[in-house]
Amino acid sequence: MRTAEPYRIKMVEPLTMTTRAEREKAIADAGYNTFLLKSSVCYIDLLTDSGTNAMSDRQWSALMMGDEAYAGARSFDHLLEAVQEAYGLPYVVPTHQGRGAEHLISKILIKPGQYVAGNMYFTTTRVHQELAGATFVDVIRDEAHDPTRADIPFKGNIDLDKLQALIDDKGAENIAYVNLAVTVNMAGGQPVSMANIKAVSELCKRNGIILWSDATRLAENSWFIKEREEGYADTPCAEIVKEMLSYVDGLTMSGKKDALVNIGGFLAMRSEAILEEARGLVVVYEGMPTYGGLSGRDLEAMAVGLREALDDAYLEHRIGQVRYLGDQLKAAGVPIVEPVGGHAVFIDARAFLPHLSQDDFPAQALAAELFVESGVRSMERGIVSAGRDADGNNRHPALELVRLTIPRRVYTNAHMDVVADAVIELWKNRDAIRGLRFVHEAPTLRFFTSRFEPIPARSPLPEQAEEHPVGAVDVRP
Ligand code: F0G
Protein backbone atom coordinates (compact mmCIF):
# COMPACT_ATOMS: atom_id res chain seq x y z
CA MET A 1 0.00 0.00 0.00
CA ARG A 2 1.24 3.50 -0.82
CA THR A 3 1.50 5.90 2.08
CA ALA A 4 1.11 9.67 2.20
CA GLU A 5 2.29 12.36 4.62
CA PRO A 6 1.47 11.19 8.17
CA TYR A 7 -0.14 14.54 8.99
CA ARG A 8 -2.69 16.89 7.49
CA ILE A 9 -2.25 20.58 6.84
CA LYS A 10 -3.91 23.00 9.25
CA MET A 11 -2.35 26.27 8.17
CA VAL A 12 -0.80 27.28 4.86
CA GLU A 13 1.80 29.78 3.75
CA PRO A 14 1.31 31.01 0.15
CA LEU A 15 4.29 30.74 -2.22
CA THR A 16 5.23 33.22 -4.93
CA MET A 17 6.50 32.31 -8.38
CA THR A 18 8.79 34.82 -10.09
CA THR A 19 9.78 35.29 -13.73
CA ARG A 20 13.14 34.20 -15.08
CA ALA A 21 14.13 37.85 -15.59
CA GLU A 22 13.31 38.61 -11.95
CA ARG A 23 15.38 35.65 -10.80
CA GLU A 24 18.34 36.62 -12.99
CA LYS A 25 18.33 40.05 -11.36
CA ALA A 26 17.85 38.58 -7.88
CA ILE A 27 20.80 36.20 -8.13
CA ALA A 28 23.07 38.93 -9.56
CA ASP A 29 22.02 41.23 -6.69
CA ALA A 30 22.80 38.38 -4.29
CA GLY A 31 26.34 38.01 -5.67
CA TYR A 32 25.48 34.52 -7.00
CA ASN A 33 25.31 33.32 -3.42
CA THR A 34 22.00 31.61 -2.56
CA PHE A 35 22.51 32.58 1.11
CA LEU A 36 22.11 36.21 0.10
CA LEU A 37 18.77 35.78 -1.71
CA LYS A 38 15.63 37.08 -0.10
CA SER A 39 13.33 34.21 0.76
CA SER A 40 10.44 36.03 -0.91
CA VAL A 41 11.95 35.22 -4.33
CA CYS A 42 12.50 31.53 -3.51
CA TYR A 43 9.60 29.44 -4.80
CA ILE A 44 10.73 26.23 -3.11
CA ASP A 45 13.34 26.88 -0.46
CA LEU A 46 15.72 23.94 -0.05
CA LEU A 47 18.60 25.98 1.35
CA THR A 48 18.55 24.10 4.61
CA ASP A 49 16.58 21.84 6.91
CA SER A 50 17.76 23.98 9.81
CA GLY A 51 15.07 25.89 11.67
CA THR A 52 12.78 25.52 8.67
CA ASN A 53 10.63 22.81 10.24
CA ALA A 54 6.84 23.05 10.42
CA MET A 55 5.79 22.70 14.04
CA SER A 56 2.84 20.55 15.04
CA ASP A 57 -0.38 21.75 16.69
CA ARG A 58 0.98 20.30 19.92
CA GLN A 59 4.13 22.36 19.67
CA TRP A 60 2.16 25.52 18.94
CA SER A 61 -0.01 24.77 21.96
CA ALA A 62 3.07 24.21 24.10
CA LEU A 63 4.32 27.68 23.13
CA MET A 64 1.44 29.15 25.08
CA MET A 65 2.67 27.37 28.19
CA GLY A 66 6.11 28.99 28.09
CA ASP A 67 7.32 30.13 31.50
CA GLU A 68 9.27 33.31 30.84
CA ALA A 69 10.77 33.62 34.30
CA TYR A 70 14.39 34.73 34.19
CA ALA A 71 15.47 31.92 36.50
CA GLY A 72 14.08 28.56 37.47
CA ALA A 73 11.48 28.46 34.69
CA ARG A 74 9.20 25.43 34.57
CA SER A 75 9.84 25.25 30.80
CA PHE A 76 13.44 24.25 31.51
CA ASP A 77 12.18 21.33 33.62
CA HIS A 78 10.05 20.21 30.70
CA LEU A 79 13.05 20.21 28.38
CA LEU A 80 15.17 18.42 30.98
CA GLU A 81 12.52 15.71 31.45
CA ALA A 82 12.21 15.23 27.69
CA VAL A 83 15.98 14.85 27.25
CA GLN A 84 16.26 12.50 30.22
CA GLU A 85 13.44 10.31 28.99
CA ALA A 86 14.07 10.38 25.24
CA TYR A 87 17.88 10.53 25.19
CA GLY A 88 18.75 8.98 28.55
CA LEU A 89 21.22 11.73 29.53
CA PRO A 90 20.85 13.26 32.99
CA TYR A 91 22.04 16.87 32.52
CA VAL A 92 21.09 19.60 30.05
CA VAL A 93 22.30 23.11 29.33
CA PRO A 94 20.20 24.97 26.73
CA THR A 95 21.83 27.18 24.11
CA HIS A 96 20.38 29.45 21.43
CA GLN A 97 21.23 26.88 18.73
CA GLY A 98 23.70 24.12 17.92
CA ARG A 99 26.75 26.31 17.47
CA GLY A 100 26.17 27.84 20.90
CA ALA A 101 26.56 24.34 22.33
CA GLU A 102 29.60 23.73 20.10
CA HIS A 103 31.19 26.92 21.38
CA LEU A 104 30.78 25.90 25.02
CA ILE A 105 31.91 22.30 24.67
CA SER A 106 34.93 23.29 22.58
CA LYS A 107 36.00 25.74 25.31
CA ILE A 108 35.46 23.13 28.02
CA LEU A 109 37.12 20.08 26.47
CA ILE A 110 39.92 21.52 24.33
CA LYS A 111 43.35 22.60 25.51
CA PRO A 112 45.21 24.60 22.85
CA GLY A 113 47.41 22.34 20.72
CA GLN A 114 45.17 19.30 21.07
CA TYR A 115 43.38 17.34 18.33
CA VAL A 116 39.70 16.59 17.84
CA ALA A 117 38.83 13.55 15.74
CA GLY A 118 35.52 13.41 13.93
CA ASN A 119 33.61 11.75 11.11
CA MET A 120 34.02 14.57 8.59
CA TYR A 121 33.98 18.21 9.52
CA PHE A 122 30.97 20.42 9.90
CA THR A 123 31.52 24.12 9.22
CA THR A 124 30.51 25.70 12.53
CA THR A 125 31.73 22.74 14.58
CA ARG A 126 35.24 22.90 13.17
CA VAL A 127 35.44 26.68 13.52
CA HIS A 128 34.66 26.42 17.23
CA GLN A 129 37.19 23.63 17.67
CA GLU A 130 39.84 25.70 15.89
CA LEU A 131 38.98 28.86 17.81
CA ALA A 132 39.53 26.87 21.01
CA GLY A 133 43.01 25.91 19.76
CA ALA A 134 42.44 22.41 18.38
CA THR A 135 43.25 20.82 15.05
CA PHE A 136 40.41 18.81 13.55
CA VAL A 137 41.28 15.39 12.11
CA ASP A 138 38.83 13.63 9.82
CA VAL A 139 38.60 9.91 10.65
CA ILE A 140 35.56 9.00 8.57
CA ARG A 141 35.81 5.90 6.38
CA ASP A 142 37.31 6.61 2.95
CA GLU A 143 34.19 5.71 1.00
CA ALA A 144 32.37 8.70 2.51
CA HIS A 145 34.40 10.92 0.19
CA ASP A 146 33.23 9.00 -2.89
CA PRO A 147 29.75 10.03 -4.07
CA THR A 148 29.42 6.93 -6.25
CA ARG A 149 29.76 4.28 -3.53
CA ALA A 150 26.07 3.42 -3.34
CA ASP A 151 26.82 0.01 -1.86
CA ILE A 152 27.83 1.30 1.60
CA PRO A 153 24.86 1.37 3.99
CA PHE A 154 26.69 3.23 6.77
CA LYS A 155 28.92 5.64 4.94
CA GLY A 156 29.16 7.90 7.99
CA ASN A 157 31.07 5.36 10.10
CA ILE A 158 34.34 6.24 11.76
CA ASP A 159 37.29 4.25 10.41
CA LEU A 160 38.59 2.61 13.59
CA ASP A 161 42.05 2.12 12.10
CA LYS A 162 42.31 5.83 11.32
CA LEU A 163 41.25 6.70 14.85
CA GLN A 164 43.70 4.20 16.34
CA ALA A 165 46.48 5.55 14.13
CA LEU A 166 45.76 9.08 15.33
CA ILE A 167 45.87 7.92 18.96
CA ASP A 168 49.18 6.09 18.33
CA ASP A 169 50.65 9.08 16.54
CA LYS A 170 49.57 11.93 18.82
CA GLY A 171 48.96 10.14 22.13
CA ALA A 172 45.55 9.76 23.77
CA GLU A 173 46.27 12.67 26.10
CA ASN A 174 46.51 15.00 23.11
CA ILE A 175 43.09 14.11 21.79
CA ALA A 176 40.57 16.44 23.40
CA TYR A 177 37.64 14.28 22.38
CA VAL A 178 36.12 12.33 19.54
CA ASN A 179 33.14 14.03 17.92
CA LEU A 180 30.74 11.53 16.37
CA ALA A 181 28.14 13.07 14.08
CA VAL A 182 24.90 11.17 13.45
CA THR A 183 24.10 11.51 10.54
CA VAL A 184 27.05 13.07 8.71
CA ASN A 185 25.80 16.22 7.03
CA MET A 186 28.75 17.01 4.76
CA ALA A 187 29.02 13.42 3.54
CA GLY A 188 25.45 13.62 2.28
CA GLY A 189 23.43 12.92 5.42
CA GLN A 190 25.03 9.48 5.71
CA PRO A 191 24.29 7.37 8.80
CA VAL A 192 26.51 5.67 11.36
CA SER A 193 25.76 2.09 12.40
CA MET A 194 25.08 1.02 15.97
CA ALA A 195 28.00 -1.40 15.72
CA ASN A 196 30.30 1.48 14.80
CA ILE A 197 29.05 3.73 17.61
CA LYS A 198 29.66 0.87 20.02
CA ALA A 199 33.12 0.10 18.68
CA VAL A 200 34.16 3.77 18.73
CA SER A 201 32.91 4.01 22.29
CA GLU A 202 34.96 0.98 23.34
CA LEU A 203 38.07 2.36 21.63
CA CYS A 204 37.59 5.72 23.35
CA LYS A 205 37.03 4.08 26.76
CA ARG A 206 40.16 1.91 26.39
CA ASN A 207 42.17 5.06 25.74
CA GLY A 208 40.45 7.31 28.24
CA ILE A 209 39.13 9.64 25.52
CA ILE A 210 35.80 11.44 25.80
CA LEU A 211 33.23 10.50 23.16
CA TRP A 212 30.90 13.36 22.31
CA SER A 213 28.19 13.25 19.68
CA ASP A 214 26.92 15.86 17.31
CA ALA A 215 23.42 14.48 17.69
CA THR A 216 21.80 17.07 15.44
CA ARG A 217 20.18 14.47 13.14
CA LEU A 218 20.08 11.52 15.51
CA ALA A 219 16.44 10.65 14.75
CA GLU A 220 17.14 10.30 11.05
CA ASN A 221 20.19 8.19 11.85
CA SER A 222 18.04 5.85 13.94
CA TRP A 223 15.72 5.21 10.98
CA PHE A 224 18.66 3.99 8.88
CA ILE A 225 19.73 1.66 11.69
CA LYS A 226 16.18 0.28 11.82
CA GLU A 227 16.13 -0.15 8.06
CA ARG A 228 19.64 -1.39 7.39
CA GLU A 229 21.25 -2.92 10.48
CA GLU A 230 20.58 -6.49 11.44
CA GLY A 231 18.50 -6.93 14.57
CA TYR A 232 16.77 -3.54 14.60
CA ALA A 233 13.90 -3.98 12.12
CA ASP A 234 11.35 -4.40 14.90
CA THR A 235 12.85 -1.90 17.34
CA PRO A 236 11.10 1.48 17.58
CA CYS A 237 13.36 4.39 16.62
CA ALA A 238 12.84 5.90 20.08
CA GLU A 239 14.60 2.86 21.56
CA ILE A 240 17.31 2.88 18.92
CA VAL A 241 18.12 6.51 19.78
CA LYS A 242 18.41 5.66 23.45
CA GLU A 243 20.80 2.84 22.69
CA MET A 244 22.87 5.07 20.36
CA LEU A 245 23.26 7.64 23.11
CA SER A 246 24.01 5.06 25.80
CA TYR A 247 27.51 4.84 24.27
CA VAL A 248 28.41 8.53 24.42
CA ASP A 249 29.50 10.86 27.22
CA GLY A 250 27.45 13.76 25.99
CA LEU A 251 26.13 15.59 22.96
CA THR A 252 25.63 18.87 21.22
CA MET A 253 22.22 19.34 19.67
CA SER A 254 20.89 21.74 17.12
CA GLY A 255 17.19 21.62 17.93
CA LYS A 256 16.59 23.29 14.57
CA LYS A 257 16.88 19.87 12.93
CA ASP A 258 15.69 16.79 14.79
CA ALA A 259 13.92 18.61 17.62
CA LEU A 260 11.54 20.04 14.99
CA VAL A 261 11.75 23.67 16.08
CA ASN A 262 12.74 26.93 14.44
CA ILE A 263 15.35 27.90 17.02
CA GLY A 264 17.12 26.22 19.91
CA GLY A 265 19.84 23.83 20.92
CA PHE A 266 21.47 22.29 23.95
CA LEU A 267 24.30 20.37 25.50
CA ALA A 268 23.46 17.15 27.32
CA MET A 269 25.94 15.14 29.34
CA ARG A 270 26.59 12.58 32.08
CA SER A 271 29.46 14.35 33.84
CA GLU A 272 28.67 16.70 36.70
CA ALA A 273 32.05 18.34 36.27
CA ILE A 274 31.33 19.19 32.63
CA LEU A 275 27.85 20.37 33.65
CA GLU A 276 29.38 22.77 36.17
CA GLU A 277 31.75 24.22 33.59
CA ALA A 278 28.98 24.51 31.00
CA ARG A 279 26.76 26.34 33.48
CA GLY A 280 29.60 28.72 34.20
CA LEU A 281 30.15 29.51 30.53
CA VAL A 282 26.53 29.58 29.41
CA VAL A 283 25.78 32.60 31.59
CA VAL A 284 28.61 34.48 29.88
CA TYR A 285 27.74 33.65 26.28
CA GLU A 286 24.09 32.62 26.12
CA GLY A 287 22.02 33.29 29.24
CA MET A 288 21.05 31.72 32.55
CA PRO A 289 21.54 27.93 32.71
CA THR A 290 17.77 27.45 32.68
CA TYR A 291 17.19 29.32 29.41
CA GLY A 292 20.50 29.58 27.55
CA GLY A 293 19.48 32.28 25.09
CA LEU A 294 16.00 30.90 24.47
CA SER A 295 12.60 32.01 25.61
CA GLY A 296 10.51 29.72 27.80
CA ARG A 297 8.20 29.00 24.87
CA ASP A 298 11.16 27.89 22.73
CA LEU A 299 12.12 25.39 25.42
CA GLU A 300 8.55 24.05 25.51
CA ALA A 301 8.38 23.61 21.73
CA MET A 302 11.72 21.81 21.72
CA ALA A 303 10.63 19.47 24.54
CA VAL A 304 7.62 18.40 22.49
CA GLY A 305 9.43 18.34 19.14
CA LEU A 306 12.34 16.15 20.14
CA ARG A 307 9.89 13.42 21.08
CA GLU A 308 7.77 13.84 17.93
CA ALA A 309 10.86 13.37 15.77
CA LEU A 310 11.34 9.86 17.15
CA ASP A 311 7.99 8.61 15.84
CA ASP A 312 8.46 5.77 13.34
CA ALA A 313 5.66 6.88 10.99
CA TYR A 314 7.08 10.39 10.87
CA LEU A 315 10.60 9.11 10.16
CA GLU A 316 9.48 6.65 7.50
CA HIS A 317 7.85 9.47 5.59
CA ARG A 318 10.69 11.90 6.23
CA ILE A 319 13.41 9.63 4.89
CA GLY A 320 11.03 8.39 2.19
CA GLN A 321 10.43 11.91 0.90
CA VAL A 322 14.14 12.62 0.56
CA ARG A 323 14.56 9.32 -1.27
CA TYR A 324 11.56 10.09 -3.48
CA LEU A 325 13.38 13.14 -4.83
CA GLY A 326 16.71 11.32 -5.08
CA ASP A 327 15.20 8.43 -7.03
CA GLN A 328 13.77 10.74 -9.67
CA LEU A 329 17.13 12.42 -10.22
CA LYS A 330 18.92 9.10 -10.34
CA ALA A 331 16.47 7.70 -12.88
CA ALA A 332 17.21 10.69 -15.15
CA GLY A 333 20.96 10.08 -14.89
CA VAL A 334 21.73 13.12 -12.71
CA PRO A 335 24.86 12.37 -10.64
CA ILE A 336 23.95 12.43 -6.93
CA VAL A 337 25.58 11.16 -3.75
CA GLU A 338 24.51 7.59 -3.17
CA PRO A 339 22.97 6.13 -1.20
CA VAL A 340 20.61 9.06 -0.63
CA GLY A 341 20.99 10.28 2.96
CA GLY A 342 18.64 11.52 5.63
CA HIS A 343 17.97 15.22 5.15
CA ALA A 344 18.92 16.12 1.63
CA VAL A 345 19.74 15.02 -1.88
CA PHE A 346 23.26 16.08 -2.80
CA ILE A 347 24.09 16.66 -6.47
CA ASP A 348 27.66 15.80 -7.45
CA ALA A 349 28.63 19.10 -9.07
CA ARG A 350 31.99 17.79 -10.37
CA ALA A 351 30.23 15.08 -12.36
CA PHE A 352 27.44 17.46 -13.36
CA LEU A 353 29.86 20.11 -14.65
CA PRO A 354 33.01 18.25 -15.73
CA HIS A 355 34.02 21.22 -17.91
CA LEU A 356 34.68 23.33 -14.78
CA SER A 357 37.66 22.99 -12.45
CA GLN A 358 37.00 23.00 -8.70
CA ASP A 359 38.52 26.50 -8.53
CA ASP A 360 35.66 27.70 -10.77
CA PHE A 361 33.29 26.83 -7.87
CA PRO A 362 31.09 24.38 -9.79
CA ALA A 363 28.67 23.71 -6.92
CA GLN A 364 28.24 27.42 -6.23
CA ALA A 365 27.58 28.01 -9.95
CA LEU A 366 25.11 25.13 -10.18
CA ALA A 367 23.15 26.33 -7.13
CA ALA A 368 22.88 29.80 -8.70
CA GLU A 369 21.78 28.34 -12.05
CA LEU A 370 19.15 26.12 -10.41
CA PHE A 371 17.66 29.18 -8.76
CA VAL A 372 17.52 31.06 -12.08
CA GLU A 373 15.98 28.04 -13.79
CA SER A 374 13.25 27.38 -11.27
CA GLY A 375 13.20 29.53 -8.14
CA VAL A 376 14.44 26.51 -6.17
CA ARG A 377 17.02 27.59 -3.61
CA SER A 378 19.78 25.12 -2.75
CA MET A 379 23.19 25.38 -1.08
CA GLU A 380 26.83 24.89 -2.05
CA ARG A 381 28.71 22.27 -0.04
CA GLY A 382 32.12 22.15 -1.65
CA ILE A 383 35.25 24.26 -1.98
CA VAL A 384 33.55 27.49 -0.90
CA SER A 385 32.15 25.88 2.28
CA ALA A 386 35.49 24.20 3.02
CA GLY A 387 37.26 27.59 3.32
CA ARG A 388 41.00 28.08 3.64
CA ASP A 389 43.54 26.17 5.72
CA ALA A 390 45.86 27.64 8.35
CA ASP A 391 48.30 28.70 5.59
CA GLY A 392 45.57 30.57 3.73
CA ASN A 393 45.26 28.06 0.88
CA ASN A 394 41.86 26.96 -0.40
CA ARG A 395 40.93 23.55 0.94
CA HIS A 396 39.91 21.26 -1.92
CA PRO A 397 37.39 18.78 -0.50
CA ALA A 398 36.79 15.59 -2.44
CA LEU A 399 33.07 16.29 -2.38
CA GLU A 400 31.87 19.24 -4.46
CA LEU A 401 28.13 19.17 -3.88
CA VAL A 402 24.90 21.08 -4.24
CA ARG A 403 22.53 20.27 -1.40
CA LEU A 404 18.79 20.09 -1.95
CA THR A 405 17.80 20.11 1.69
CA ILE A 406 14.28 19.09 2.58
CA PRO A 407 12.66 21.00 5.48
CA ARG A 408 10.70 18.72 7.81
CA ARG A 409 6.92 18.51 7.35
CA VAL A 410 6.92 21.55 5.03
CA TYR A 411 6.68 20.46 1.39
CA THR A 412 4.65 17.74 -0.28
CA ASN A 413 5.87 15.23 -2.82
CA ALA A 414 4.34 17.44 -5.54
CA HIS A 415 6.96 20.04 -4.61
CA MET A 416 9.60 17.33 -4.94
CA ASP A 417 8.35 16.63 -8.49
CA VAL A 418 8.82 20.30 -9.41
CA VAL A 419 12.35 20.27 -7.99
CA ALA A 420 13.19 17.08 -9.89
CA ASP A 421 11.91 18.55 -13.17
CA ALA A 422 14.02 21.69 -12.68
CA VAL A 423 17.24 19.78 -11.94
CA ILE A 424 16.66 17.43 -14.88
CA GLU A 425 16.12 20.40 -17.20
CA LEU A 426 19.45 21.87 -16.08
CA TRP A 427 21.14 18.52 -16.54
CA LYS A 428 20.07 18.55 -20.18
CA ASN A 429 21.59 22.03 -20.64
CA ARG A 430 24.60 21.61 -18.37
CA ASP A 431 27.24 22.47 -20.96
CA ALA A 432 26.13 26.10 -20.93
CA ILE A 433 26.77 26.58 -17.18
CA ARG A 434 29.79 28.76 -16.46
CA GLY A 435 31.97 28.99 -13.36
CA LEU A 436 32.17 31.81 -10.81
CA ARG A 437 34.93 33.85 -9.19
CA PHE A 438 35.06 35.88 -5.98
CA VAL A 439 34.10 39.53 -5.90
CA HIS A 440 34.22 39.64 -2.11
CA GLU A 441 35.54 36.80 0.07
CA ALA A 442 34.37 36.81 3.69
CA PRO A 443 37.12 35.94 6.22
CA THR A 444 35.24 33.31 8.30
CA LEU A 445 32.58 30.79 7.20
CA ARG A 446 32.88 32.45 3.83
CA PHE A 447 30.01 30.57 2.19
CA PHE A 448 27.47 32.60 4.17
CA THR A 449 28.30 36.09 2.92
CA SER A 450 30.83 36.01 0.06
CA ARG A 451 29.89 37.48 -3.31
CA PHE A 452 30.73 36.13 -6.75
CA GLU A 453 30.42 36.95 -10.44
CA PRO A 454 30.33 34.71 -13.51
CA ILE A 455 33.68 34.05 -15.15
CA PRO A 456 33.48 35.73 -18.58
CA ALA A 457 33.08 33.36 -21.50
CA ARG A 458 36.44 32.22 -22.79
CA SER A 459 37.26 33.68 -26.17
CA PRO A 460 40.48 33.76 -28.20
CA LEU A 461 42.62 36.89 -28.21
CA PRO A 462 42.37 38.56 -31.63
CA GLU A 463 46.04 38.03 -32.57
CA GLN A 464 45.92 34.37 -31.49
CA ALA A 465 42.61 33.58 -33.09
CA GLU A 466 44.06 32.08 -36.20
CA GLU A 467 46.48 29.76 -34.43
CA HIS A 468 44.14 28.44 -31.76
CA PRO A 469 40.68 26.99 -32.17
CA VAL A 470 37.88 28.85 -30.41
CA GLY A 471 37.82 28.21 -26.66
CA ALA A 472 41.37 26.89 -26.42
CA VAL A 473 42.91 30.09 -25.08
CA ASP A 474 42.27 31.05 -21.50
CA VAL A 475 42.22 34.83 -21.21
CA ARG A 476 40.90 34.97 -17.68
CA PRO A 477 42.80 37.38 -15.42
N1 F0G B 1 26.06 20.20 13.41
C1 F0G B 1 25.53 19.84 12.23
C2 F0G B 1 25.75 18.47 11.72
C3 F0G B 1 24.77 20.77 11.51
O1 F0G B 1 24.26 20.40 10.35
C4 F0G B 1 24.59 22.07 12.03
C5 F0G B 1 23.85 23.08 11.28
C6 F0G B 1 25.16 22.39 13.25
C7 F0G B 1 25.89 21.44 13.91
C8 F0G B 1 25.04 23.76 13.86
O2 F0G B 1 23.77 23.96 14.35
O3 F0G B 1 22.84 25.79 12.94
O4 F0G B 1 21.84 25.21 15.15
O5 F0G B 1 24.01 26.35 15.03
N2 F0G B 1 23.59 22.94 10.07
C9 F0G B 1 22.82 23.86 9.25
C10 F0G B 1 22.82 23.36 7.84
C11 F0G B 1 23.22 25.28 9.37
O6 F0G B 1 22.22 24.05 6.99
O7 F0G B 1 23.37 22.31 7.55
P1 F0G B 1 23.08 25.42 14.37
Side-chain angles (χ1 to χ4, degrees):
M1 195 182 78
R2 290 198 293 177
T3 57
E5 283 76 8
Y7 48 82
R8 57 186 172 187
I9 295 162
K10 202 171 230 173
M11 189 191 284
V12 296
E13 181 182 353
L15 298 175
T16 314
M17 191 61 183
T18 51
T19 63
R20 190 179 180 95
E22 285 168 337
R23 293 193 295 274
E24 277 171 356
K25 179 170 183 328
I27 197 72
D29 289 349
Y32 295 84
N33 184 346
T34 53
F35 277 99
L36 299 179
L37 287 167
K38 290 196 186 302
S39 81
S40 55
V41 295
C42 300
Y43 173 46
I44 299 177
D45 197 347
L46 306 187
L47 184 72
T48 177
D49 62 329
S50 180
T52 52
N53 304 307
M55 292 205 297
S56 67
D57 50 358
R58 287 165 220 190
Q59 286 177 289
W60 281 104
S61 308
L63 287 185
M64 297 303 293
M65 303 303 290
D67 177 353
E68 307 302 345
Y70 189 82
R74 159 181 88 233
S75 300
F76 171 76
D77 296 330
H78 292 162
L79 176 67
L80 180 62
E81 282 161 25
V83 171
Q84 288 173 340
E85 280 173 34
Y87 294 175
L89 289 160
Y91 304 122
V92 175
V93 175
T95 56
H96 75 283
Q97 59 183 86
R99 68 199 71 178
E102 291 167 354
H103 176 208
L104 302 187
I105 203 61
S106 300
K107 272 190 144 48
I108 294 167
L109 296 183
I110 294 167
K111 291 193 205 79
Q114 285 188 315
Y115 296 85
V116 176
N119 47 348
M120 209 173 266
Y121 85 103
F122 183 71
T123 53
T124 58
T125 322
R126 185 175 64 192
V127 162
H128 281 299
Q129 291 160 354
E130 289 174 350
L131 288 173
T135 302
F136 172 78
V137 182
D138 186 2
V139 290
I140 202 167
R141 63 190 303 171
D142 286 337
E143 299 91 332
H145 296 280
D146 181 350
T148 65
R149 289 299 299 271
D151 55 317
I152 312 281
F154 291 103
K155 242 175 156 178
N157 281 359
I158 282 183
D159 181 327
L160 296 167
D161 292 337
K162 284 190 195 173
L163 181 54
Q164 185 64 59
L166 180 72
I167 297 169
D168 294 344
D169 182 30
K170 307 293 181 194
E173 68 286 1
N174 291 318
I175 297 173
Y177 61 102
V178 172
N179 191 43
L180 178 69
V182 287
T183 58
V184 183
N185 187 355
M186 300 298 274
Q190 302 296 332
V192 179
S193 70
M194 191 73 85
N196 189 249
I197 299 174
K198 210 171 157 180
V200 170
S201 165
E202 281 162 11
L203 183 54
C204 285
K205 277 209 178 83
R206 270 204 306 280
N207 289 279
I209 298 171
I210 290 172
L211 177 58
W212 216 254
S213 178
D214 179 344
T216 292
R217 296 185 180 82
L218 80 175
E220 288 160 7
N221 198 99
S222 75
W223 178 263
F224 288 110
I225 289 177
K226 184 182 176 72
E227 204 179 51
R228 297 180 183 168
E229 194 160 352
E230 215 185 315
Y232 290 94
D234 299 323
T235 313
C237 286
E239 276 181 40
I240 295 176
V241 158
K242 263 196 153 165
E243 187 188 337
M244 285 163 56
L245 296 180
S246 71
Y247 301 115
V248 306
D249 296 303
L251 58 86
T252 53
M253 182 71 188
S254 168
K256 302 174 73 170
K257 285 81 166 176
D258 273 355
L260 294 172
V261 287
N262 305 118
I263 193 71
F266 53 87
L267 277 172
M269 72 288 284
R270 298 181 200 288
S271 156
E272 273 182 43
I274 295 176
L275 172 70
E276 275 316 300
E277 286 198 58
R279 281 185 173 155
L281 286 177
V282 78
V283 290
V284 179
Y285 294 107
E286 304 273 325
M288 282 288 285
T290 53
Y291 76 84
L294 296 169
S295 60
R297 55 181 175 272
D298 297 328
L299 299 170
E300 295 284 356
M302 196 153 62
V304 176
L306 71 85
R307 287 188 168 111
E308 284 183 0
L310 303 180
D311 176 65
D312 288 357
Y314 156 75
L315 282 168
E316 179 176 16
H317 173 263
R318 162 72 179 154
I319 305 293
Q321 185 173 51
V322 177
R323 202 170 288 161
Y324 175 79
L325 174 60
D327 284 348
Q328 291 193 51
L329 298 185
K330 215 163 59 178
V334 177
I336 58 170
V337 173
E338 293 188 67
V340 172
H343 65 299
V345 176
F346 289 73
I347 302 172
D348 180 355
R350 278 179 202 273
F352 201 108
L353 302 173
H355 55 287
L356 299 186
S357 93
Q358 194 170 25
D359 293 301
D360 296 337
F361 309 139
Q364 188 78 26
L366 184 54
E369 233 12 84
L370 177 61
F371 171 75
V372 172
E373 173 73 28
S374 60
V376 172
R377 171 154 69 170
S378 58
M379 182 194 288
E380 191 264 7
R381 292 277 84 152
I383 182 169
V384 179
S385 294
R388 293 180 184 271
D389 64 20
D391 300 327
N393 299 314
N394 277 320
R395 292 180 170 115
H396 286 81
L399 296 175
E400 177 71 24
L401 309 174
V402 170
R403 189 179 75 173
L404 301 163
T405 338
I406 319 297
R408 295 171 186 77
R409 305 192 292 205
V410 171
Y411 294 114
T412 65
N413 282 358
H415 291 106
M416 298 302 114
D417 294 341
V418 171
V419 175
D421 288 353
V423 175
I424 292 165
E425 193 54 34
L426 270 190
W427 172 241
K428 288 182 192 149
N429 301 308
R430 58 192 180 276
D431 294 346
I433 298 174
R434 280 190 281 147
L436 297 171
R437 62 188 180 194
F438 275 117
V439 174
H440 161 71
E441 182 180 351
T444 348
L445 297 176
R446 64 184 184 179
F447 53 95
F448 282 131
T449 53
S450 290
R451 301 180 67 85
F452 304 82
E453 65 182 8
I455 296 171
R458 297 168 190 204
S459 57
L461 295 170
E463 65 272 20
Q464 294 172 319
E466 279 173 22
E467 287 166 38
H468 298 277
V470 172
V473 181
D474 190 346
V475 294
R476 286 176 296 162

